[in-house]
Amino acid sequence: MKPGLCLFLTNEIVAVIRNVTEGKRAEKTIREGEQRYRSIFENSPQGIFRATPDGVLVDANPTLVSMLCYESREEFLETFARRGDSIFTMSDFHSGFKTLVEEQGSVEGFEMQILCKDGSRIWVSVNAHVVKDAEGQTTYHEGTVGKP
């Protein structure tokens, strides 16, 4: 019989008792870790993003949303989902950033322009890395955006 399992036979009643303490502890630890991550993401003074390998934004924190003059994260993400577009100016994105991050796995201090809600462009410094799936294919890029 497995450790932590008890089996009692009394006349016609069978009872199996299993200790679920470790499972509950693991769930609590995971939940607390997710809450800590969410707090860092939401309160970071740096803009944080997740983008497809083509540069289309799929997630951003409030700092990045505000930096680019959007009213809400929902508006920000809907705009890019609807346009299938990127905040990165495509010439900067394709001329260097994408190549470097794919070849090196990460970039630090890459200066480029990004698009604001009103169409204006601002210069930023981007730190990013590639996230790959189990087969080694790039699933997305994630990183931070700050003033150069």
Side-chain angles (χ1 to χ4, degrees):
M1 191 172 305
K2 292 182 182 178
L5 288 179
C6 300
L7 182 65
F8 300 101
L9 297 174
T10 58
N11 291 338
E12 296 183 24
I13 298 175
V14 175
V16 177
I17 301 170
R18 183 172 28 155
N19 186 347
V20 295
T21 305
E22 286 303 315
K24 293 292 184 186
R25 253 188 239 140
E27 284 178 24
K28 182 180 178 194
T29 300
I30 290 168
R31 195 171 38 256
E32 288 171 351
E34 288 171 349
Q35 289 170 344
R36 282 191 300 274
Y37 166 78
R38 180 55 56 191
S39 177
I40 291 167
F41 181 81
E42 296 292 331
N43 298 303
S44 173
Q46 292 278 309
I48 300 174
F49 71 91
R50 181 175 291 158
T52 67
D54 292 328
V56 177
L57 267 287
V58 293
D59 203 2
N61 74 338
T63 302
L64 184 57
V65 171
S66 175
M67 184 185 300
L68 300 178
C69 302
Y70 284 86
E71 298 298 320
S72 69
R73 181 175 172 269
E74 292 73 27
E75 175 195 21
F76 179 82
L77 294 175
E78 283 176 18
T79 299
F80 292 101
R82 185 177 57 252
R83 292 187 338 207
D85 204 352
S86 173
I87 61 168
F88 306 115
T89 61
M90 295 318 282
S91 61
D92 286 341
F93 181 74
H94 288 294
S95 69
F97 177 79
K98 183 177 181 180
T99 303
L100 278 175
V101 77
E102 288 291 333
E103 286 177 359
Q104 299 176 5
S106 66
V107 296
E108 289 186 25
F110 189 92
E111 292 188 6
M112 63 193 301
Q113 291 183 321
I114 57 176
L115 298 172
C116 295
K117 180 180 178 180
D118 65 4
S120 64
R121 298 165 190 241
I122 60 172
W123 283 96
V124 295
S125 178
V126 179
N127 298 321
H129 65 273
V130 172
V131 177
K132 297 184 182 249
D133 63 18
E135 287 80 41
Q137 298 298 312
T138 299
T139 56
Y140 54 89
H141 301 149
E142 64 183 9
T144 60
V145 176
K147 301 285 182 178

